[in-house]
Amino acid sequence: MGEVSTLLSTMRLVPVIVLDDAADAWPLAQALKAGGLPCAEVTLRTPAAEEALREMAKDADILLGAGTVLRPEQVDLAVKAGAKFIVTPGYSAAVVERCRSVGVPIIPGVATPTEVQQALEAGVDTVKFFPAESIGGARALAAIAAPFGDMRFVPTGGITAANVGDYLALPSVLAAGGSWMAGRDLVRAGRFEEITRLTSEAVAIVGAAS
Ligand code: 3PG
């Protein structure tokens, strides 16, 4: 994971983004930056995602990732569009392999000890614990992480300002992901000031947790 891991360990938050209109990508990136969080995981869930990655990649200050990567060919597309790391919702050996051959850091999704072990075997050092709140929250993550020593986790799914501190308090957690500071509806409505406000609030929680 290298430099991406270092940056994530400093920021400790990964805003998960769903963009319906690529024209929102630049103002959204600036809103996140203004809130103190120069990072975005743009999910490949919408037709606008590829163009949105290209737009955000124009700002070299943003640590840019692509999420919801389901197939190996999407790794190539995302990297070409400017993604510096790849996130998947579940564990795909084919996607992990493609990331390795392209040389891009990968954070594959896991929900069970078996999947963590698969990730370990593949030489992965950081996994996404997804969907975190639905599969038992911080308590479940602490129990699942316990046998795996150095494996780092990025819990995501149902995380909000109210519970993010519980995850960040766990030594195995590199960073927490979520859409709460830059929700799809806020972006659609062009409420970038509100996104900056929620982002600053999240950054303040990180400050208090560390
Ligand atoms: C993801 O893709 O990581 C999740 O959909 C984000 O989960 P959240 O919207 O519950 O934060």
Side-chain angles (χ1 to χ4, degrees):
M1 285 282 289
E3 194 197 349
V4 169
S5 183
T6 305
L7 290 167
L8 290 180
S9 72
T10 306
M11 293 192 262
R12 306 215 71 203
L13 293 171
V14 183
V16 176
I17 307 299
V18 181
L19 273 166
D20 293 288
D21 185 348
D24 290 330
W26 183 264
L28 172 58
Q30 302 315 303
L32 292 166
K33 230 165 104 170
L37 193 52
C39 179
E41 175 195 326
V42 175
T43 57
L44 302 187
R45 290 184 201 175
T46 58
E50 187 181 351
E51 173 77 18
L53 279 171
R54 264 192 247 111
E55 281 303 309
M56 284 199 189
K58 290 177 187 162
D59 188 334
D61 293 342
I62 303 284
L63 175 61
L64 186 61
T68 323
V69 173
L70 304 178
R71 297 184 302 279
E73 58 271 24
Q74 290 179 306
V75 173
D76 305 334
L77 174 151
V79 169
K80 207 169 155 217
K84 296 288 189 273
F85 67 98
I86 301 292
V87 185
T88 63
Y91 191 81
S92 159
V95 170
V96 169
E97 179 49 40
R98 183 69 66 98
C99 288
R100 178 123 329 133
S101 68
V102 171
V104 65
I106 167 74
I107 306 177
V110 300
T112 65
T114 305
E115 291 154 359
V116 179
Q117 226 169 310
Q118 266 180 284
L120 258 184
E121 277 171 17
V124 168
D125 59 19
T126 306
V127 290
K128 166 172 169 163
F129 181 66
F130 178 78
E133 277 294 293
S134 307
I135 54 177
R139 216 169 136 247
L141 174 51
I144 288 174
F148 294 109
D150 292 339
M151 183 63 84
R152 311 300 303 279
F153 292 81
V154 181
T156 309
I159 298 182
T160 65
N163 59 21
V164 67
D166 298 342
Y167 291 96
L168 295 179
L170 301 178
S172 59
V173 168
L174 177 70
S179 64
W180 82 93
M181 71 290 271
R184 188 174 188 166
D185 291 346
L186 287 178
V187 177
R188 260 188 186 153
R191 295 183 61 199
F192 298 109
E193 284 178 15
E194 178 63 1
I195 289 170
T196 296
R197 189 189 71 74
L198 290 168
T199 304
S200 307
E201 180 189 79
V203 168
I205 293 168
V206 170
S210 55

